[in-house]
Amino acid sequence: MTRYGAMYGPDITFLGVPPCDLDEPAAWADADVVILGAPFDGGTSHRPGTRFGPSAMRQACYLPHDGSRPSLALRTDGLKDIKVYDAGDVECFSGDIEKSVRVIEAAVATIAGTGAIPVVLGGDHTIALPDVTGVARAHGFGRVSVVHFDAHADTGDTEFGSLLGHGQPMRRLIESGAARGDRFLQIGLRGYWPGPETLDWMAAQGMRAYEMSEIVARGLDACLTEAFATAVDDCDGVFLSVDVDVVDPGMAPGTGTPEPGGLTSRQLLDAVRRVCLELPVVGVDVVEVSPPYDHAEVTAFLANRVVLEALSAIAYRRRGVVWDPARPLLDR
């Protein structure tokens, strides 16, 4: 597909990394990571606005957009130590959810099919269906586990009479066989949805959901360690899906379905770093940033840093050494 650029706002790349056109594979043949915007919010059940999320995430930084971000924690540069390109936005059709899902899946499959890691900027969580499916087309149906940070399970059956939407993608993925229920790990669930019938369905699929009460009682690190052991058991890769509403709305207000009582922004950044340091990540999406409901861009800044933590950790993992977070900064 010819590079569309940005659907909303200026055609800029993520913090100044080189642009690429998916229709010209020779120009990005050396890519380790390709960033892709999926500005679709036609699947929202409450507040819209996530179509502006990719643009906000690309821009949300007070530093120069120079294609370089050396990490203090990891002492890697997630934009330079690995080869990162930005393919612009997929042309999404706000009134046609089925067509939007198809074109996003095709773009993700094109990237994953080369061995590069697609990092998709949403968009509402509807896009997890084409994102994970596109990666599974490259790595094999049922061969990619999913580590999913979210306040909500997104395992509903229908919403407003539709099988597609941001409350249903995880059910559709399991039903299609793209992802296995018993290799689906959900972290940060809380609140008052879904109901007992949906929870029974999730249990029957073998899903593992870490609700916030369990996370508080056991500790986030213990829950992550347990989840990681499942994620790498009889799977070849891991897809990381981050809904910013996993974070408490006091720290991430710019989202469509806020639910109080979530993770802190610090916990999410540490958790994303652990995922990408310790697991063979083959795809990432960051979703549900809704700039119209944001305050002082705090949600966009957090989402930008989620992407940077993932890229920095992916770069560090390729060194083949174990990271010690307790080492003093100047000794790393």
Side-chain angles (χ1 to χ4, degrees):
M1 58 195 68
T2 301
R3 179 181 168 85
Y4 187 87
M7 282 196 71
Y8 306 100
D11 183 12
I12 59 173
T13 64
F14 184 85
L15 300 181
V17 302
C20 73
D21 188 329
L22 296 185
D23 270 350
E24 300 175 4
W28 52 280
D30 60 342
D32 296 302
V33 171
V34 177
I35 293 170
L36 184 70
F40 179 78
D41 63 5
T44 54
S45 59
H46 191 45
R47 305 192 306 198
T50 59
R51 68 182 64 183
F52 306 115
S55 179
M57 281 186 262
R58 287 183 171 113
Q59 298 182 67
C61 191
Y62 54 85
L63 295 169
H65 286 218
D66 56 2
S68 175
R69 284 298 181 277
S71 164
L72 283 177
L74 294 173
R75 301 299 287 269
T76 58
D77 190 325
L79 303 183
K80 295 189 78 171
D81 293 349
I82 53 177
K83 195 66 177 178
V84 181
Y85 291 91
D86 190 327
D89 289 348
V90 178
E91 185 179 20
C92 293
F93 309 88
S94 60
D96 192 336
I97 192 168
E98 292 182 358
K99 185 173 184 179
S100 295
V101 165
R102 286 197 304 271
V103 296
I104 295 168
E105 181 183 324
V108 172
T110 295
I111 296 166
T114 70
I117 299 172
V119 174
V120 188
L121 312 179
D124 72 48
H125 223 158
T126 303
I127 72 166
L129 173 59
D131 293 346
V132 178
T133 302
V135 169
R137 294 204 181 281
H139 295 274
F141 271 41
R143 303 307 304 165
V144 177
S145 61
V146 180
V147 176
H148 169 208
F149 290 84
D150 205 325
H152 310 97
D154 293 353
T155 49
D157 190 12
T158 62
E159 186 76 36
F160 307 133
S162 176
L163 292 169
L164 299 176
H166 76 164
Q168 295 85 42
M170 310 314 174
R171 183 183 286 241
R172 301 289 92 86
L173 283 168
I174 293 170
E175 289 176 339
S176 72
R180 291 167 52 176
D182 61 356
R183 296 297 180 272
F184 219 110
L185 297 312
Q186 300 188 306
I187 299 160
L189 304 190
R190 61 190 186 274
Y192 303 90
W193 184 89
E197 183 178 343
T198 300
L199 293 176
D200 289 345
W201 181 88
M202 292 166 61
Q205 313 312 308
M207 298 180 74
R208 181 65 167 96
Y210 293 87
E211 194 266 340
M212 280 302 299
S213 297
E214 180 181 359
I215 291 171
V216 170
R218 296 180 58 197
L220 178 59
D221 276 339
C223 294
L224 290 176
T225 298
E226 182 179 276
F228 290 2
T230 301
V232 297
D233 180 21
D234 193 33
C235 277
D236 302 320
V238 175
F239 191 97
L240 170 63
S241 186
V242 179
D243 184 329
V244 292
D245 73 18
V246 73
V247 172
D248 189 273
M251 295 184 178
T255 192
T257 49
E259 184 63 55
L263 299 178
T264 66
S265 56
R266 176 73 266 161
Q267 286 177 307
L268 177 60
L269 293 173
D270 287 346
V272 167
R273 182 191 298 149
R274 275 199 65 187
V275 170
C276 295
L277 279 174
E278 300 178 30
L279 301 179
V281 170
V282 293
V284 179
D285 64 23
V286 182
V287 302
E288 297 290 354
V289 174
S290 181
Y293 293 96
D294 209 357
H295 173 72
E297 298 180 281
V298 294
T299 313
F301 272 95
L302 172 59
N304 175 281
R305 270 25 184 187
V306 167
V307 175
L308 281 176
E309 286 292 345
L311 296 177
S312 299
I314 288 168
Y316 192 95
R317 178 179 170 86
R318 297 190 179 198
R319 293 180 177 177
V321 296
V322 176
W323 179 65
D324 180 4
R327 287 184 65 184
L329 170 63
L330 300 182
D331 292 338
R332 294 178 188 173

